[in-house]
């Protein structure tokens, strides 16, 4: 399957020499909805912003639908629909104004498509942006991104400030639109339960490095949870369970010798994040 | 669906609604006040004949003294205030609008949306700049015309189109200055990405730029000064010189060598005895002096806007 987003040895270092991304290889298959998961400072936003040409990679390269966004931002933007972390709407303008604005800024913007999406959600088109709830603003941001009819959608934690119902509604619209248009989406989020139902791939970043890149089904099938802190080559990482007990995420054996219980997606993510944190703690201690 | 060509203008003006309405109203108020004060001054009837008579100190036409008192009372009480309004409103409005064009958008994060939508940030910049440029130009021109009218009323006998008085504070130069100041606000806002700090920095740069530019232009005018044969009310005087018998011009620093001062103090009333001439620029040159100043300001504006385009092309959206 060819790739909609491809990063090869991607690195981004900000001033003060902090690496936000380091040596990241990513391949997001066309037509997939990939969840980009990681703690704060993991490099999720940096990866997404690099995809829109907002960040210049320090090392390696990133291709979005075959285009390097930093070298040819115009061509890359034409292939990308972007939903920023906060909706970033113009508070003085109405929802309808935003659709018109997008049409003036972007040749080929499908204003009818964007309006239809908004009308389906019963969003008042003549309301000013500052009169909308956080969820409605996020929906406007998504409708504008979908109106671009871009083959790649990059969504930078759009669910962060939404209540559960608004999150569910947002994801429903996203999944429906992606399936309908055959687009590819990369969605960064902290909320594992929501993305489990919406996404088909999981990309985990930690400390600027890639920790996991698999389909959701593979991610779950490839791991098990065992009680207590375990040791061995198959152990990914140990973390505290909700009841305070330490559990370990282990790679599921390929043989018939199966130990522990099946892991949830959240546990897969936690195990890999714990594994990603350990080397960093060692680095800090050193 | 094709977007209407005027929609970007409407959007931009709505984004700057407060500034455009507030400064538009101030501009209208300034124009009305300027024309009102000018009409009041005209109504006093303190004309050229009175001015000349009062200046020469001889017998003045009937009522000139009373008229002069009333005239200068209006000039000092009202015309001064209106003149200050006409000078500062274009400057302040240009700064506030200029800083907001890019700086406020970056600060609010709306550039994240806009720059991710448009394949050309320059198109976005053009949509944002063009309408506010027109607004600032119109405000500047209105105030410039009003300042011209006020000058004509406060200086009887002076034709603003042939006078170098208040250069830069009236006529089209005022509009050109306003546009230049706006472009400073735009570029500083784009670089800093925060409206308030950008406003402070842009104010300093604009003041230094305008004052420095005026100094430079003053120097150029001084170097171009010639002997003015017949003084006009709109002339700009730089120096008073003395004509030596050979025709060479000398200043006060050299006069004693060529025309020794009298021994007694009483005789100084007739000293120096050499014929005097005035060095200056005739007010009739106002047209080309004005054009040169506008050209320099336009050049500065162009540089600032090109810098803005460069910054907008390369910077993060905030």
């Amino acid at each position: 399957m060819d790739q909609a987003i491809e990063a090869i040895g991607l690195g981004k270092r900000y001033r003060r020499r902090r690496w936000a991304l380091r040596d990241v290889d990513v391949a997001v298959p066309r037509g997939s909805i990939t969840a980009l998961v990681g703690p704060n400072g993991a490099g999720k936003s940096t990866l997404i912003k690099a995809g829109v040409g907002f960040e210049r990679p320090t090392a390696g390269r990133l291709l979005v639908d075959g285009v390097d966004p930093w070298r040819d931002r115009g061509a890359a933007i034409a292939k990308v629909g972007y939903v920023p972390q906060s909706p970033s709407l113009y508070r003085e303008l109405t929802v309808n104004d935003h659709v018109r604005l997008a049409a003036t800024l972007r040749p080929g913007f499908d204003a009818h498509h964007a309006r239809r999406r908004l009308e389906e959600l019963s969003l008042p088109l003549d309301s000013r942006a500052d009169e909308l709830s956080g969820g409605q603003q996020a929906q406007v941001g998504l409708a504008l991104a979908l109106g671009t009819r871009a083959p790649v959608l990059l969504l930078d934690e759009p669910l962060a400030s939404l209540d559960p119902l608004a999150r569910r509604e947002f994801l429903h619209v996203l999944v429906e639109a992606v399936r309908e248009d055959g687009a590819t989406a990369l969605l960064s989020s902290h909320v594992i339960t929501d993305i489990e139902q919406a996404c088909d791939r999981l990309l985990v970043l930690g400390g600027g490095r890639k920790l996991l890149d698999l389909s959701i089904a593979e991610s779950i099938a490839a791991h098990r949870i065992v009680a207590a802190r375990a040791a061995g080559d198959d152990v990914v990482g140990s973390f505290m369970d909700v009841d305070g007990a330490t559990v370990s995420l282990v790679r599921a054996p390929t043989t018939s010798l199966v130990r522990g219980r099946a892991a949830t997606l959240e546990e897969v993510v936690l195990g890999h994040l714990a594994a990603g944190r350990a080397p960093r703690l060692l680095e800090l201690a050193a | 669906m094709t977007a209407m060509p005027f929609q970007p203008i409407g959007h931009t003006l709505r984004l700057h609604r407060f500034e455009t309405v507030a400064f538009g109203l101030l501009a209208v108020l300034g124009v009305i006040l300027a024309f009102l004060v000018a009409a009041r001054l005209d109504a006093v009837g303190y004309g050229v004949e009175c001015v000349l008579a009062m200046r020469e100190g001889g017998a003045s036409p009937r009522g000139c003294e009373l008229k002069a008192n009333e005239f200068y009372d209006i000039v000092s009480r009202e015309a001064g205030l209106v003149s200050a309004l006409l000078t500062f409103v274009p400057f302040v409005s240009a700064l506030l609008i200029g800083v907001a064009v890019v700086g406020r958008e970056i600060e609010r994060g709306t550039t994240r949306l806009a720059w991710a939508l448009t394949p050309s940030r320059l198109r976005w910049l053009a949509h944002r700049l063009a309408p506010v440029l027109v607004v600032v130009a119109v405000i500047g021109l209105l105030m410039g015309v009003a300042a011209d009218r006020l000058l004509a009323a406060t200086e009887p006998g002076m034709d603003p189109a042939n006078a170098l008085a208040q250069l830069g504070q009236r006529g089209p130069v005022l509009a050109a200055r306003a546009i230049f100041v706006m472009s400073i606000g735009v570029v500083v806002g784009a670089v800093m990405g925060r409206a308030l700090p950008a406003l402070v920095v842009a104010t300093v740069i604009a003041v230094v730029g305008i004052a420095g530019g005026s100094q430079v232009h003053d120097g150029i005018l001084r170097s171009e000064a010639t002997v003015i044969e017949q003084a006009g009310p709109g002339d700009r005087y730089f120096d008073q010189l003395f004509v030596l018998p050979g025709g060479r011009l000398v200043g006060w620093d050299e006069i004693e060598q060529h025309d020794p001062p009298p021994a007694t103090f009483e005789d100084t009333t007739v000293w120096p005895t050499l014929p005097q001439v005035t060095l200056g620029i005739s007010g009739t040159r106002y047209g080309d002096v004005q054009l040169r100043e506008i050209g320099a300001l336009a050049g500065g504006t162009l540089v600032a806007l090109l810098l803005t385009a460069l910054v907008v092309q390369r910077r993060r959206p905030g």
Side-chain angles (χ1 to χ4, degrees):
Chain A
M1 190 188 287
D2 65 336
Q3 314 301 331
I5 302 167
E6 195 174 7
I8 305 144
L10 186 67
K12 172 68 193 177
R13 189 167 62 173
Y14 289 108
R15 285 175 207 167
R16 297 182 199 164
R17 300 185 168 200
R18 191 180 72 82
W19 285 91
L21 283 175
R22 193 158 198 184
D23 208 18
V24 171
D25 293 327
V26 170
V28 177
R30 209 173 287 281
S32 66
I33 303 180
T34 301
L36 180 57
V37 180
N40 291 332
K44 305 187 297 293
S45 285
T46 304
L47 177 61
I48 285 184
K49 284 177 182 168
V52 207
F54 288 174
E55 294 288 357
R56 178 185 199 166
T58 315
R61 65 191 303 220
L62 177 69
L63 297 176
V64 176
D65 208 25
V67 178
D68 182 334
W70 187 256
R71 291 197 178 173
D72 191 354
R73 192 170 48 216
I77 292 263
K79 291 170 180 284
V80 170
Y82 171 66
V83 181
Q85 205 160 15
S86 54
S88 310
L89 302 180
Y90 291 91
R91 61 188 187 205
E92 298 89 347
L93 301 184
T94 65
V95 174
N96 210 13
D97 287 333
H98 279 87
V99 176
R100 290 197 195 109
L101 179 79
T104 60
L105 286 174
R106 189 181 185 106
F109 182 82
D110 192 342
H112 175 71
H113 186 63
R115 274 198 201 94
R116 189 165 58 80
R117 292 267 167 214
L118 294 166
E119 280 162 359
E120 279 169 8
L121 296 164
S122 305
L123 263 165
L125 293 180
D126 54 351
S127 288
R128 278 169 48 133
D130 57 0
E131 294 167 355
L132 302 176
S133 68
Q136 288 175 320
Q137 289 188 29
Q139 288 289 5
V140 174
L142 179 60
L144 294 175
L146 295 176
T148 61
R149 295 282 196 176
V152 177
L153 293 170
L154 300 175
L155 303 97
D156 191 0
E157 291 194 44
L159 309 172
S161 59
L162 305 189
D163 62 57
L165 270 177
R167 283 207 304 267
R168 189 53 60 92
E169 209 167 28
F170 185 98
L171 288 171
H172 168 72
V173 173
L174 173 68
V175 171
E176 195 181 60
V178 167
R179 301 285 177 246
E180 197 178 303
D181 295 349
T184 306
L186 181 62
L187 165 75
S188 81
S189 178
H190 287 294
V191 192
I192 312 288
T193 46
D194 283 337
I195 60 173
E196 187 168 7
Q197 290 162 38
C199 302
D200 41 35
R201 287 190 70 81
L202 177 67
L203 173 59
V204 182
L205 291 181
R209 293 176 188 275
K210 185 180 80 174
L211 302 175
L212 182 70
D213 183 9
L214 283 175
S215 74
I216 299 273
E218 283 171 330
S219 302
I220 294 170
H223 296 90
R224 306 280 298 172
I225 286 288
V226 293
R229 188 175 295 279
D233 290 347
D234 60 344
V235 175
V236 176
S238 300
F239 56 94
M240 205 176 280
D241 210 346
V242 279
D243 54 8
T246 302
V247 293
S248 297
L249 183 78
V250 297
R251 287 184 190 85
T254 47
T255 61
S256 56
L257 187 67
V258 176
R259 59 172 177 154
R261 60 169 172 79
T264 64
L265 187 65
E266 189 168 19
E267 286 167 336
V268 171
V269 171
L270 287 172
H272 280 277
L273 290 182
R277 190 177 289 172
R280 218 172 140 209
L281 289 173
L282 287 173
E283 274 173 32
L284 286 172
Chain B
M1 186 184 284
T2 313
M4 295 292 287
F6 296 110
Q7 273 174 4
I9 299 171
H11 290 147
T12 301
L13 291 180
R14 284 174 66 187
L15 296 179
H16 301 283
R17 183 185 286 169
F18 174 75
E19 296 95 318
T20 47
V21 170
F23 291 120
L25 286 175
L26 271 176
V28 170
L29 178 73
V31 171
I32 290 171
L33 286 176
F35 276 83
L36 268 178
V37 172
R40 271 165 55 73
L41 288 169
D42 290 349
V44 173
Y46 182 66
V48 188
E49 64 288 349
C50 271
V51 175
L52 292 175
M54 300 284 286
R55 196 176 292 162
E56 281 157 17
S60 55
R62 206 180 151 83
C64 269
E65 207 170 309
L66 276 176
K67 284 177 184 173
N69 286 342
E70 192 184 345
F71 182 86
Y72 287 112
D73 192 44
I74 296 173
V75 169
S76 63
R77 280 169 183 266
E78 298 169 24
L81 280 176
V82 176
S83 189
L85 184 76
L86 297 177
T87 306
F88 287 107
V89 166
F91 186 84
V92 174
S93 58
L95 265 177
L96 286 173
I97 292 175
V99 161
V101 171
V102 182
R104 195 171 66 191
E105 285 224 23
I106 293 172
E107 188 172 54
R108 287 184 179 177
T110 45
T111 42
R112 283 197 290 269
L113 176 75
W115 292 359
L117 277 170
T118 183
S120 165
R121 290 187 188 179
L122 292 183
R123 177 203 297 253
W124 169 85
L125 184 63
H127 284 179
R128 287 288 169 273
L129 264 182
V132 294
L133 204 83
V134 172
V135 167
V136 170
V138 167
I139 289 175
L141 277 175
L142 279 175
M143 304 297 245
V145 168
D148 268 347
R149 174 69 185 92
L150 198 61
L151 177 70
T154 53
E155 299 287 344
M158 186 182 281
D159 171 16
N162 288 298
L164 291 165
Q166 295 179 15
L167 180 67
Q169 295 164 36
R170 62 189 181 88
V173 184
L174 189 68
R177 274 193 179 181
I179 292 170
F180 171 70
V181 167
M182 190 200 84
S183 69
I184 297 289
V186 173
V187 70
V188 175
V191 170
M192 299 186 77
R194 289 177 65 205
L196 197 60
L199 183 64
V200 174
V201 174
T203 305
V204 173
I205 295 175
V207 167
V208 170
I210 294 284
S214 295
Q215 287 279 327
V216 170
H217 201 180
D218 227 46
I220 295 170
L221 286 176
R222 194 176 283 274
S223 72
E224 291 172 350
T226 54
V227 171
I228 294 177
E229 303 292 345
Q230 208 162 21
D235 298 345
R236 174 86 180 269
Y237 303 114
F238 288 111
D239 215 346
Q240 203 163 35
L241 300 174
F242 302 93
V243 187
L244 296 181
R248 193 163 78 86
L249 299 174
V250 293
W252 281 101
D253 51 335
E254 276 187 76
I255 187 69
E256 287 186 27
Q257 297 166 26
H258 306 281
D259 184 9
T264 58
F265 179 73
E266 286 74 24
D267 295 333
T268 54
T269 48
V270 290
W271 182 83
T273 57
L274 289 171
Q276 294 183 24
V277 289
T278 303
L279 203 65
I281 304 275
S282 165
T284 53
R285 280 199 57 204
Y286 178 66
D288 40 276
V289 170
Q290 176 184 242
L291 265 182
R292 187 164 61 194
E293 175 122 356
I294 290 173
L297 289 165
T301 303
L302 195 66
V303 169
L305 294 184
L306 286 174
L307 272 175
T308 306
L310 201 69
V311 172
V312 163
Q313 280 285 67
R314 300 193 65 84
R315 76 158 289 151
R316 291 193 190 110

